[in-house]
Amino acid sequence: MTDVSASSSFEFATATRVLFGPGRLTEAPEAIRGLGGSRVLLVTGANPSRARPLHDALERLGLGVTVFSVDGEPTVERAREGTARVAEAGCDVVVALGGGSALDAGKAIAALAANGGDPLDYLEVIGRGQPLTRPSLPFMAIPTTAGTGSEVTRNAVLGSKDAKAKASLRSPHMLPRVALVDPDLLTGAPAAVLASSGMDALSQLIEPFLSARANPLTDALAREGLRRSARSLRRAVLDGPDAPAREDLALASLFGGLCLANAGLGVVHGFAAPLGGMFDAPHGAVCAALLPAVLDVNLRALRARAPTHPSLPRVQELAALLTGRVDARAEDAVTWVDELRAALGVPGLGRYGLTEAQVPALVAKAKEASSMKANPLALTDAELAEIASRSL
C-alpha cells in the first residue's frame, strides 16, 4: 500500500512522564509524593470508594488528602467548586483517578487554581478565550476507563448549562506531569462503559489519522492503536476484557489521546461538543453514533471536491487497518465501523432526544467547534445536516 506522507513540520507535546503497565497503580503514591506537594486534592468519579486505597496510601506517606468527587460529566460549576476546595484546603497537588470526566475536572481545577479567575475567562467558544499564562498545579492523571486519552492531552472539556454546550480549556500548561495507565483498572468494567469509551478511543484514532494536521509521529501511534482497537474492542465488550484485551484498549486510548492532542480531531467531535451540552448523553456513545456517517460524507466530499487530497488514500488505508485486509476498499471502513457500532448496541442520537427539527440549530453550533478546524476539508451545511440526520 502506498504510504501518504504527513507534514514533516510539526510539534509534539505530552505528559512529562507516562507510566504504563499492569499493576503500576502501586507506584502512584511515590510518584505523587515526587511531585513535591504536601496536600493533595484527589478528584474521583461518582464512587469515591474506588480511590480509597490510594487515599490511604497517600496518608501513610504523610500527605494530606482532600477528596472531590465528580458525578457525571464535568461542568463549569463543578470546576468552580473544585477550585474553591483547593483554596480552602491549601492543596498544592491535584490527582485525578477515574474516567474522562474525573480527569478533565482535575485538569481544569489544577489550571484554574494556579491562574485564578473564572472558567468562563478561559473557555473556548462559549467563554472569553483568554490564555492560561501560568503552569497548572502539579497534576497526575490515572484513568480507570479506556476512552478519552485525557491523561495525555492539554485540554479539559467542561459543560455549561447556560450555553447548553461543551467547550475546552486549552493550554500547554495543562499537560499532566504524570500519566499512570494501568490496564488492570479495566477489570470488571461494565460492557456499556467499555463500548462507549472504546468507540470514543477509536474515533480519536481515526480522526487524527485523517486530520489536516496529521504528522508522522501521530500516524505511527494511530496505526498501532487502530490495529489494537480493531482486534480487541468487540471481543472485550461482548466476552469480557481479558488481560490482552485490557492492554490493547488501554493503549488504544492512550495513543488516541496522544494523537488528538497533536493532530486535532474532526467533525465527529465538532458535533459531540454541542450535543454534550444539549443532552445527557455519554460522550463516547455520541461519537459512535456519528462516526459512520462522518466517514461516509467525508469520503464522498473528498472524492467530489478534493480528489488529490492526501487524506483520501488514507481512508482506504484505514479500511485495511480495521478489516485486516490489504485489498479493502475505502467504503469498507464505513461498513466496518457501522457494524461494530450495531454489534456493541450503541444507539442513535434520537435515543438521547435529538430530533430532525433540531438539526439546523445543531449544525450552526457544531460549525463553531474548534475540532472542526482539523477535518480534512470543510463540509457544507447540507453535508453536516446529512450527518446529523443519518445519525439519529
Side-chain angles (χ1 to χ4, degrees):
M1 178 175 298
T2 301
D3 188 33
V4 180
S5 296
S7 172
S8 58
S9 177
F10 63 91
E11 174 186 351
F12 191 93
T14 189
T16 305
R17 186 180 179 204
V18 178
L19 307 176
F20 183 94
R24 298 203 72 166
L25 182 62
T26 58
E27 300 175 36
E30 287 293 345
I32 293 166
R33 182 161 68 172
L35 294 175
S38 62
R39 187 156 194 92
V40 177
L41 182 77
L42 181 55
V43 181
T44 74
N47 181 13
S49 64
R50 190 168 189 185
R52 190 74 210 183
L54 178 59
H55 177 286
D56 294 346
L58 292 173
E59 289 192 330
R60 287 194 294 271
L61 290 176
L63 299 176
V65 182
T66 298
V67 176
F68 182 75
S69 62
V70 179
D71 185 4
E73 297 194 351
T75 63
V76 169
E77 292 76 20
R78 289 300 279 162
R80 289 174 182 141
E81 292 166 9
T83 306
R85 190 74 59 85
V86 167
E88 292 164 5
C91 297
D92 47 13
V93 173
V94 179
V95 176
L97 185 149
S101 294
L103 269 55
D104 273 14
K107 203 185 305 183
I109 291 165
L112 292 166
N115 282 269
D118 187 78
L120 290 175
D121 292 333
Y122 309 105
L123 273 173
E124 299 173 344
V125 183
I126 63 172
R128 287 175 279 282
Q130 298 174 1
L132 292 157
T133 58
R134 298 174 184 168
S136 298
L137 295 182
F139 175 64
M140 179 172 178
I142 308 172
T144 59
T145 60
T148 67
S150 182
E151 66 273 13
V152 288
T153 65
R154 65 183 87 188
N155 71 301
V157 179
L158 300 179
S160 168
K161 294 177 183 176
D162 292 337
K164 293 185 178 179
K166 290 181 179 180
S168 284
L169 296 173
R170 192 184 310 273
S171 170
H173 291 312
M174 293 176 65
L175 285 165
R177 291 273 292 276
V178 182
L180 189 152
V181 184
D182 185 340
D184 285 349
L185 293 174
L186 300 179
T187 303
V193 172
L194 287 172
S196 177
S197 60
M199 289 294 288
D200 188 17
L202 180 64
S203 69
Q204 291 174 175
L205 292 161
I206 290 174
E207 291 206 288
F209 187 61
L210 302 179
S211 165
R213 301 204 300 264
N215 67 66
L217 192 47
T218 58
D219 284 350
L221 293 165
R223 289 183 176 110
E224 181 65 16
L226 287 165
R227 291 186 189 99
R228 289 176 179 270
S229 181
R231 76 188 182 196
S232 291
L233 178 53
R234 183 186 296 229
R235 178 167 57 87
V237 173
L238 299 183
D239 301 331
D242 58 15
R246 291 196 298 269
E247 182 165 315
D248 276 352
L249 296 187
L251 279 172
S253 178
L254 174 64
F255 292 171
L258 292 167
C259 288
L260 78 88
N262 291 283
L265 290 162
V267 169
V268 170
H269 283 80
F271 271 118
L275 280 165
M278 293 166 66
F279 304 104
D280 184 16
H283 172 76
V286 168
C287 293
L290 289 159
L291 187 55
V294 169
L295 279 175
D296 189 36
V297 172
N298 264 334
L299 176 60
R300 191 177 70 220
L302 285 165
R303 284 174 169 166
R305 300 200 297 278
T308 62
H309 196 290
S311 291
L312 188 51
R314 283 171 174 264
V315 186
Q316 196 235 326
E317 183 181 355
L318 171 65
L321 289 166
L322 294 176
T323 65
R325 302 195 324 267
V326 294
D327 63 343
R329 300 172 305 124
E331 288 82 1
D332 294 335
V334 181
T335 301
W336 189 93
V337 168
D338 199 30
E339 289 178 347
L340 176 65
R341 180 201 57 76
L344 301 188
V346 180
L349 299 176
R351 176 74 64 86
Y352 304 110
L354 183 68
T355 65
E356 189 70 46
Q358 293 170 306
V359 166
L362 172 61
V363 167
K365 288 185 176 182
K367 287 170 62 179
E368 301 301 317
S370 58
S371 291
M372 287 289 190
K373 297 174 184 176
N375 202 59
L377 77 174
L379 298 183
T380 66
D381 285 10
E383 287 166 338
L384 293 171
E386 178 188 341
I387 288 168
S389 296
R390 287 174 54 181
S391 301
L392 288 170

